[in-house]
């Protein structure tokens, strides 16, 4: 077991907030999102509670968006899922994703000298020689109840922390890790604590009615770029300029005929020939 992230070590390091008060550490699991969802399904009402964090040191079947895999070598990265019981209208799920993205970006910037961008919808990216490299991704899975209210949300995040440059997988969007980007190992504990603290602050602010949209859009490297968007199912692909997002974070793409398309989910490729891909 990695002592750095053990239950007792994290308990001792976390401040007295609600996020992470219930923290579970697994040396190995299939997927933290799947394991936390299983805990919710088999638990009683409100058990596990709002703010429960489940972290694993290795995932045998880590899950990414669009049915992809999420892979990291044992003890190299941050792989965790957080349970929220928000009772919000379902459209606000995207805001939860935005605050987690912002909290992770700020935590990384505090632990390293890196500048973090967001590639729509929820990839954290680092500019390496003019090309955006992915360092983190989020997977948000919600259960909507009566009156379109979000009952539970399992928010999973993977951050590539100490993966050696030679061990990074080859993917369409190039990957990097924090260690590969700064040239030295980065403390997973410091990163985790800083992420959870910021996320709790953002969540509390959201409860008070403060929108994360402006801060999230400031980091969005996709805006103003020529993009190709593929939507889930793969039946449709839209090419054009990513002009803006709406209040819910949906991407607005203007095609060459001037028609604006609203994309709520999917993947975008930043088209080649621009400063960034
Ligand atoms: C993506 O970019 O496709 C999202 C990746 C999300 C990966 C994290 S790792 C922890 C949590 N458990 C999972 O199985 N997936 C998420």
């Amino acid at each position: 077991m990695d002592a750095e992230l053990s239950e007792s070590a994290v308990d001792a390091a976390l401040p007295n907030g609600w996020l992470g008060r219930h923290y579970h550490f697994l040396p190995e699991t299939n997927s933290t999102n799947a394991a936390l969802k299983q805990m919710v399904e088999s638990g009683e009402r409100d058990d596990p509670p709002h703010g429960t964090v489940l972290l694993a040191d290795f995932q045998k079947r880590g899950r990414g968006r669009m049915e992809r895999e999420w892979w990291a070598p044992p003890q190299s990265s941050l792989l965790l899922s957080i349970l929220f019981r928000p009772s919000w209208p379902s459209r606000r799920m995207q805001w939860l994703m935005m605050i987690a993205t912002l909290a992770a970006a700020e935590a990384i910037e505090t632990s390293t000298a890196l500048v973090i961008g967001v590639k729509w919808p929820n990839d954290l990216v680092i500019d390496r020689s003019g090309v955006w490299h992915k360092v983190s991704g989020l997977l948000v899975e919600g259960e909507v109840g009566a009156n379109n209210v979000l009952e539970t949300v399992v928010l999973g995040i993977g951050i590539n922390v100490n993966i050696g440059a030679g061990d990074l997988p080859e993917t369409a969007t190039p990957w990097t890790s924090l260690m590969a980007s700064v040239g030295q190992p980065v403390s997973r504990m410091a990163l985790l604590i800083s992420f959870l603290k910021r996320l709790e602050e953002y969540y509390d602010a959201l409860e008070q009615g403060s929108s994360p949209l402006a801060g999230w859009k400031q980091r969005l490297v996709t805006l103003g770029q020529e993009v190709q968007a593929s939507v889930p199912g793969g039946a449709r692909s839209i090419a054009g300029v990513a002009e803006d997002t709406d209040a819910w974070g949906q991407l607005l793409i203007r095609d060459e005929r001037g028609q604006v398309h609203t994309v709520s989910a999917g993947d975008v490729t930043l088209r080649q020939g621009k400063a960034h891909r």
Side-chain angles (χ1 to χ4, degrees), residues 47-68:
D47 173 48
H50 177 67
T52 297
V53 174
L54 177 66
L55 185 142
D57 241 350
F58 181 61
Q59 295 186 130
K60 288 179 285 186
R61 290 192 195 165
R63 300 194 332 222
R65 293 189 316 111
M66 316 265 289
E67 316 282 319
R68 293 198 197 96

Side-chain angles (χ1 to χ4, degrees), residues 2 47 58-60 111 121 124 137-140 148 171 212 223 240 247 254 264 272 274-275:
D2 181 2
D47 173 48
F58 181 61
Q59 295 186 130
K60 288 179 285 186
S111 288
L124 295 190
L138 286 97
L139 177 66
V140 185
N148 214 17
T171 47
L223 293 186
R254 188 179 293 276
S264 59
Q272 291 192 357
K274 303 283 148 189

Side-chain angles (χ1 to χ4, degrees), residues 239-263:
V241 175
E243 278 195 344
D244 203 350
T245 74
D246 66 11
W248 303 103
Q250 301 183 103
L251 194 61
L252 307 178
I253 300 176
R254 188 179 293 276
D255 69 18
E256 57 188 18
R257 288 167 33 208
Q259 193 184 343
V260 175
H261 303 261
T262 302
V263 181

Side-chain angles (χ1 to χ4, degrees), residues 103-276:
E106 290 171 21
I108 293 171
E109 287 175 351
T110 303
S111 288
T112 66
L114 296 166
V115 176
I116 301 297
V118 177
K119 178 169 166 284
W120 189 91
N122 54 4
D123 290 349
L124 295 190
V125 290
I126 296 171
D127 177 355
R128 298 195 69 189
S129 310
V131 177
W132 293 111
H133 284 60
K134 177 164 173 168
V135 73
S136 172
L138 286 97
L139 177 66
V140 185
E141 300 181 280
E143 288 292 327
V144 178
N147 300 327
N148 214 17
V149 161
L150 268 181
E151 286 183 345
T152 58
V153 179
V154 171
L155 183 147
I157 178 165
I159 305 179
N160 301 337
V161 184
N162 295 321
I163 307 180
D167 293 329
L168 290 159
E170 289 197 9
T171 47
T173 301
W175 271 32
T176 190
S177 73
L178 299 182
M179 183 170 79
S181 300
V182 297
Q184 59 185 43
V186 171
S187 161
R188 292 188 298 156
M189 173 69 113
L191 197 57
L192 174 67
I193 300 298
S194 157
F195 168 64
L196 294 177
K197 277 168 68 177
R198 280 176 159 72
L199 183 54
E200 181 176 314
E201 285 161 12
Y202 270 118
Y203 190 95
D204 290 345
L206 205 53
E207 288 275 35
Q208 302 300 315
S210 144
S211 161
L213 187 71
W216 179 73
K217 269 168 70 166
Q218 259 174 19
R219 289 191 183 266
L220 212 49
V221 303
T222 315
L223 293 186
Q225 301 283 319
E226 295 261 359
V227 299
Q228 177 101 32
S230 48
V231 296
R236 218 157 60 96
S237 171
I238 298 156
V241 175
E243 278 195 344
D244 203 350
T245 74
D246 66 11
W248 303 103
Q250 301 183 103
L251 194 61
L252 307 178
I253 300 176
R254 188 179 293 276
D255 69 18
E256 57 188 18
R257 288 167 33 208
Q259 193 184 343
V260 175
H261 303 261
T262 302
V263 181
S264 59
D267 256 351
V268 296
T269 310
L270 305 177
R271 284 154 77 193
Q272 291 192 357
K274 303 283 148 189
H276 289 99

